[in-house]
Amino acid sequence: MCVNDLLRDIEDCRSEMVKLAAVTSFTNHRVVETSIKLDRLLNKYYILTSKK
């Protein structure tokens, strides 16, 4: 996976999480699932960029 693609996915996921939290709550299951997805994307980014 390309770093630029990953950064785009991270930003998209972050935006989705913020929008969901604004219309539901921070403890809503969809917000939590999106947060977990974002964490995984951020971990991938860290792994990819720390090897350089």
Side-chain angles (χ1 to χ4, degrees):
M1 176 174 265
C2 173
V3 173
N4 290 331
D5 292 339
L6 189 53
L7 286 171
R8 186 184 63 246
D9 290 347
I10 289 169
E11 184 57 31
D12 291 345
C13 189
R14 186 196 64 79
S15 295
E16 179 183 351
M17 184 182 68
V18 169
K19 288 176 187 174
L20 285 170
V23 296
T24 60
S25 70
F26 287 106
T27 57
N28 179 281
H29 76 281
R30 289 180 62 204
V31 175
V32 173
E33 287 173 358
T34 306
S35 176
I36 291 168
K37 180 181 174 183
L38 179 59
D39 287 344
R40 289 183 179 140
L41 290 169
L42 290 168
N43 287 337
K44 282 184 186 181
Y45 177 79
Y46 176 75
I47 289 168
L48 281 175
T49 59
S50 66
K51 290 182 181 179
K52 295 180 180 180

